[in-house]
């Protein structure tokens, strides 16, 4: 109670997380163990790691099975599977009912403790009436699953996430079997570990996905920049050739057939020479007709057009 009133609630520790109430009891038990039970010898310190040197059955089931029998090991496997299913059943069913009620009646949210506790009670009565030999192990699974279903819908808003958190909590329950044996609040602590582990993995995956998208964007921007730069260089290389003026008087000389060239002579070069000779004859004829031309000079040397 002191931990809840002066530590968990004021500082909003594990706010909205599954197993918050059970974790409070677990912290209180550890404080009491360290201050009173351990030093006074009321509880053995070995309870923290009791399962490492003593046989502790799955889900801390209180049973007297003979571990030397192979069939008893098969029973342990059956109990582990049943524990896993019981955690997932309570977590998913309780969370799904709360989500369905919240979608149909948004202003009136169900109490997050009432629905999981009621489902756990009904499940325990059914298992007890069936007389199942591993009923006590399943009861611990119902406890962990009910703590998962008590999580805030803002933290776990979908049935899919309730399923994943329940599976993670079930794995933690199997891992923590040999530790903290008999501690009150262990089921809530297990649910809290499952919830926090799932959120940590989700954050890591989301951060990795964001980094991958940012990397892809940078590569795409670099690719576009290189393509734009290459296109700009090609345009700059084509602009001087397109902007250079064409000199019709020099064009035929550049297009003359080279004696060592294997390329055929272009037709437009012959056409330009023909046009130039016609224009020269026309100007000479006009000058002679007007009477202001130079006329024929006998002293001038005759020049062949080939010269």
């Amino acid at each position: 109670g002191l931990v809840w009133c002066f530590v968990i609630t004021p500082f909003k520790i594990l706010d909205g997380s599954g197993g918050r109430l059970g974790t409070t009891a677990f912290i209180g038990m550890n404080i009491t163990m360290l201050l009173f039970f351990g030093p006074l010898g009321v509880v053995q310190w070995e309870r923290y790691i009791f399962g490492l040197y003593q046989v502790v059955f799955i889900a801390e089931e209180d049973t007297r099975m003979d571990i030397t029998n192979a069939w008893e090991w098969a029973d342990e496997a059956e109990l582990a599977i049943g524990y896993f299913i019981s955690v997932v059943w309570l977590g998913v069913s309780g969370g799904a009912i709360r989500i369905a009620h919240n979608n149909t009646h948004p202003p009136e949210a169900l109490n997050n403790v009432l629905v999981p506790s009621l489902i756990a009670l009904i499940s325990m009565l059914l298992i007890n009436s069936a007389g199942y030999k591993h009923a006590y192990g399943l009861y611990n699974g119902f406890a962990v699953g009910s703590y998962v279903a008590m999580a805030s819908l803002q933290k776990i808003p979908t049935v899919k996430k309730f399923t994943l958190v329940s599976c993670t909590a079930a794995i933690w329950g199997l891992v923590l079997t040999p530790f903290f044996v008999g501690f009150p609040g262990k089921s809530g602590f297990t649910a809290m570990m499952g919830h926090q582990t799932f959120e940590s993995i989700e954050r890591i995956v989301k951060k990795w996905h964001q980094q991958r998208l940012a990397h892809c964007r940078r590569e795409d921007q670099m690719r576009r920049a290189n393509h734009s730069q290459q296109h700009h260089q090609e345009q700059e290389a084509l602009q001087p050739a397109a902007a250079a003026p064409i000199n019709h008087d020099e064009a035929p000389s550049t297009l003359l057939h080279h004696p060592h060239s294997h390329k055929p002579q272009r037709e437009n070069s012959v056409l330009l020479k023909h046009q130039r000779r016609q224009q020269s004859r026309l100007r000479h004829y006009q000058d002679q007709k007007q009477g202001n031309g130079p006329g024929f000079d006998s002293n001038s040397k005759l020049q062949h057009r080939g010269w």
Side-chain angles (χ1 to χ4, degrees), residues 46-62 76 79-80 83-84 87 137 140-141 144 169-183 186-187 189-190:
E46 289 81 4
R47 281 286 174 177
Y48 280 100
I49 55 174
F50 190 73
L52 297 181
Y53 61 90
Q54 294 290 337
V55 177
V56 177
F57 296 100
I58 297 297
E60 298 184 22
E61 185 183 32
D62 188 10
E76 283 291 282
L79 177 57
Y83 174 81
F84 190 92
V87 174
N140 292 331
V144 176
I171 295 173
W172 268 110
L174 297 175
V175 172
L176 294 176
T177 295
F179 306 101
F180 311 107
V181 178
F183 276 43
K186 182 180 178 181
S187 299
F189 177 75
T190 304

Side-chain angles (χ1 to χ4, degrees), residues 128-166:
N128 190 31
S129 62
Y132 184 56
K133 59 181 179 179
H134 298 303
Y136 291 101
L138 299 185
Y139 294 163
N140 292 331
F142 292 151
V144 176
S146 63
Y147 278 118
V148 172
M150 293 178 189
S152 174
L153 296 181
Q154 296 179 354
K155 292 282 187 177
I156 310 178
T158 61
V159 178
K160 179 181 178 181
K161 287 191 176 182
F162 267 110
T163 304
L164 296 176
V165 173
S166 299

